[in-house]
Amino acid sequence: MKRDALLATLDEWLQPHLISDYCPNGLQVEGCVEIKHIITGVTASQRLLDAAVKAGADTVLVHHGYFWKGEDNRVIGMKQRRLRTLLMADINLIGYHLPLDIHPEFGNNAQLLQRLGASEISAVSGPKPDGVLMQGYLPSACSGYELADQLETMLERTLVAVELNEQPIQRIAVCTGGGQSFIEQAYQSGADAFITGEVSEQTIHVARECGIQFFAAGHHATERYGVKALGERIAENFDIAVDFLDMDNPA
Ligand SMILES: [Zn+2]
């Protein structure tokens, strides 16, 4: 498939033009024109790039790409090595950040809720862009301890931090990745529990004082499923091989 045709399809699915983001969405580094083999992953780290080169892939598709607002824009050091790896191998780098968090079907938030078996999945109204904080109802009420166990089994890792109480949980709010600052909006939306990737010192106080149960389940671990689902959709629709590579990250 031609690169531009794939990019047009991805833009149609993900609608990046509707969102103001902290990085460019879509093609970030241009490689070859014909796309046959895509490696998907959470972050375009050197490890992921080296694995893509080894696999003979022509494209890397990620949630965390490059060229973030405010970063040093010189091409030196780690950034030079990453760009050199891509350019030497003629590999395209495609990245979708917020569009791949908020998408109602294969966004990170929706995917995490789906995997927990949640129903009535919807965007919490208020936080922008729509879908950056999402909610759903667990199939049956459970305790915080049970939800912690379920998350650990599903994500195959121990949680980063939890703050539990004795209340049953049914309605949950989710903002994957570094979404801890949304805890108050999760509480105000009426959620019994809030799941995100990271934790800050003050997050625990908000959880204690508002009485909302809190789960920090890892930035990387909570953001695996969006890009994975997007890759699966590409493989279903086009004659392109897509492999998801999970480069584990404890954060
Ligand atoms: Zn992220």
Side-chain angles (χ1 to χ4, degrees), residues 42-43 63-64 68 97 101 108 176-179 198 219-220 222-223:
V42 177
T43 301
H63 177 51
H64 299 141
W68 298 91
H97 179 235
D101 285 319
N108 287 318
T176 62
E198 300 189 17
H219 190 138
H220 172 92
T222 57
E223 299 204 320

Side-chain angles (χ1 to χ4, degrees), residues 163-174:
E163 182 60 30
L164 308 179
N165 61 42
E166 296 305 322
Q167 296 302 310
I169 295 172
Q170 187 134 35
R171 182 164 161 189
I172 53 176
V174 170

Side-chain angles (χ1 to χ4, degrees), residues 149-168:
D149 277 349
Q150 193 186 346
L151 279 166
E152 290 193 339
T153 304
M154 186 177 103
L155 300 171
E156 296 175 312
R157 59 159 299 157
T158 53
L159 299 178
V160 177
V162 290
E163 182 60 30
L164 308 179
N165 61 42
E166 296 305 322
Q167 296 302 310

Side-chain angles (χ1 to χ4, degrees), residues 14 58 75 80 92 103 138 151 177 179 183 186 217 219 222 233-234 237:
L14 291 158
D58 48 59
V75 180
Q80 185 271 350
N92 296 289
H103 194 275
L138 295 175
L151 279 166
I183 187 169
H219 190 138
T222 57
R233 178 61 56 87
I234 293 169
N237 281 269

Side-chain angles (χ1 to χ4, degrees), residues 7 10-11 14-28 62-68 93-101:
L7 289 167
L10 295 179
D11 280 352
L14 291 158
Q15 303 283 303
H17 59 280
L18 299 179
I19 303 159
S20 97
D21 209 333
Y22 312 100
C23 65
N25 285 298
L27 186 63
Q28 294 192 335
V62 293
H63 177 51
H64 299 141
Y66 302 155
F67 314 119
W68 298 91
L93 176 65
I94 302 174
Y96 285 95
H97 179 235
L98 283 177
L100 203 44
D101 285 319

